[in-house]
Amino acid sequence: RSKDQGGGVFHAYAPDLHVVAEERRVLEIALREALDKDQLHLTYQPVVNTIDGALTGFEALLRWTHPEYGAISPAKFVPMAEEARLIAPIGEWVLRNACHEAARWDGSVRVAVNVSAEQLHSPNFVTMVTQTLAQSGLAPERLELEVTESVFMREGTGAVQVLDKLLNLGVRLSLDDFGTGYSSLGYLSRTRFSSIKVDRSFVQSASRNVPEAVAIIRAVVALADSLGMTTTAEGVETEDEYQMVQHLGCSRIQGYYFGRPLPVEEARALIAGHMTNKSAVA
Ligand code: C2E
Ligand code: MG
Ligand code: MG
Ligand code: MG
């Protein structure tokens, strides 16, 4: 199906394997060009603590704007980049940009960067992180790498060892989308995560008083606490959700309620304003 027919290549078709394969091929070729042609950029979503709403950092979130097809969601193109073996160069680009940007920020503000399983298992990953930290001048403890439970799913790939090497560099690790994959508590005892990120689906259900969701968040908070980790609630959109996760003991929140992913200039402005407010209070 051609674009001339007005279908576009990113619409949800009825399952038609031929069209799906064609769409993927087109998207893959476009993705290869995206890096060279400056079509990628990062947005920065604020993370705040639930005690006083203070800004603790930002999560860097990748955006792809194709000149013809428009904005394409990372939920769609990151998995594709993984399969097309493009995630290592793209991930390297993300890390470089995020570290160089964060190095300009006030020293108390951290940056979180998502690392996909495929990228974590790529051969030079730890070396690349080491070099990027050195080149950007960012203190390692200001970098937080987010991985999901999927990094532990591949057999014999030594995710735990790679994560240990990263911890030895001094970076922080967080476990993203917790509760949505095949969670095994074993990973939590073997890797020193700083923070567990509670997936948005639990946050939403808990604020609607679904008892199981409330119980799960409570249990995750208690578990994290006893392991010396903190809990970040993801996708907090409303005052009710904020009240609920604060009440359940999550230490940090991230979500539209506090701030959407921001263009880099707005993130810098937020930091500047935040620092001014802090000194005004002090
Ligand atoms: P994630 O790491 O769990 O990131 C959080 C996602 O939730 C982001 O979606 C963010 O925009 C969205 N979000 C934040 N607050 C709210 C809220 O209050 N309500 C709702 N409905 N959504 C909220 P985004 O930016 O579309 O990214 C989707 C996923 O793509 C990310 O999930 C992450 O897994 C992946 N991703 C994004 N950037 C990168 C990257 O640089 N590298 C890798 N490997 N993956 C990335
Ligand atoms: Mg994340
Ligand atoms: Mg997440
Ligand atoms: Mg997610």
Side-chain angles (χ1 to χ4, degrees):
R1 195 180 304 196
S2 80
K3 285 191 301 309
D4 307 334
Q5 290 169 283
V9 284
F10 302 117
H11 288 209
Y13 293 109
D16 172 337
L17 290 179
H18 174 70
V19 172
V20 171
E22 173 63 12
E23 181 186 291
R24 291 175 61 89
R25 201 182 60 82
V26 171
L27 191 53
E28 255 179 53
I29 293 168
L31 190 52
R32 276 177 213 282
E33 292 183 351
L35 259 179
D36 302 334
K37 296 193 175 162
D38 229 25
Q39 294 167 4
L40 300 179
H41 71 277
L42 294 178
T43 57
Y44 293 91
Q45 186 175 33
V47 180
V48 303
N49 77 41
T50 46
I51 300 162
D52 55 3
L55 180 74
T56 62
F58 291 90
E59 178 175 6
L61 292 161
L62 185 54
R63 295 289 176 266
W64 177 18
T65 313
H66 188 277
E68 250 179 280
Y69 312 138
I72 304 163
S73 164
K76 175 149 196 165
F77 73 79
V78 167
M80 202 158 285
E82 290 196 311
E83 278 185 45
R85 305 202 170 275
L86 288 170
I87 197 65
I90 290 175
E92 187 172 338
W93 181 90
V94 170
L95 192 74
R96 242 176 248 295
N97 267 265
C99 289
H100 278 89
E101 175 57 28
R104 309 173 38 140
W105 298 345
D106 179 276
S108 63
V109 181
R110 289 185 213 138
V111 70
V113 174
N114 293 284
V115 175
S116 76
E118 205 60 40
Q119 191 189 357
L120 187 85
H121 294 300
S122 68
N124 298 316
F125 184 67
V126 177
T127 312
M128 191 274 286
V129 174
T130 311
Q131 287 171 350
T132 304
L133 284 168
Q135 284 160 5
S136 64
L138 184 71
E141 62 273 15
R142 290 179 58 205
L143 174 64
E144 183 169 311
L145 298 176
E146 298 194 358
V147 299
T148 63
E149 293 151 322
S150 65
V151 299
F152 300 107
M153 292 305 294
R154 296 211 287 175
E155 242 173 90
T157 45
V160 172
Q161 286 90 316
V162 176
L163 294 172
D164 274 344
K165 287 182 189 164
L166 293 168
L167 286 169
N168 286 335
L169 297 178
V171 305
R172 290 163 195 262
L173 300 176
S174 61
L175 193 52
D176 206 353
D177 303 343
F178 187 74
T180 61
Y182 294 91
S183 314
S184 158
L185 299 180
Y187 311 136
L188 286 176
S189 67
R190 269 174 282 159
T191 302
R192 218 171 59 247
F193 288 102
S194 300
S195 184
I196 299 175
K197 299 188 81 171
V198 178
D199 194 73
R200 166 173 152 71
S201 51
F202 298 107
V203 172
Q204 265 183 319
S205 302
S207 78
R208 291 178 195 144
N209 289 310
V210 175
E212 292 82 2
V214 172
I216 287 171
I217 298 183
R218 230 187 261 289
V220 173
V221 168
L223 180 68
D225 200 44
S226 56
L227 292 169
M229 302 171 186
T230 64
T231 327
T232 306
E234 294 195 270
V236 174
E237 288 185 354
T238 64
E239 171 72 26
D240 279 355
E241 289 173 359
Y242 176 62
Q243 296 284 339
M244 177 56 92
V245 297
Q246 187 182 37
H247 170 74
L248 290 174
C250 295
S251 348
R252 299 192 296 181
I253 67 153
Q254 185 179 344
Y256 298 167
Y257 177 67
F258 191 82
R260 296 204 167 236
L262 303 171
V264 61
E265 300 76 18
E266 287 181 38
R268 288 177 195 165
L270 189 68
I271 296 170
H274 175 73
M275 294 311 147
T276 316
N277 290 344
K278 234 169 57 173
S279 47
V281 170

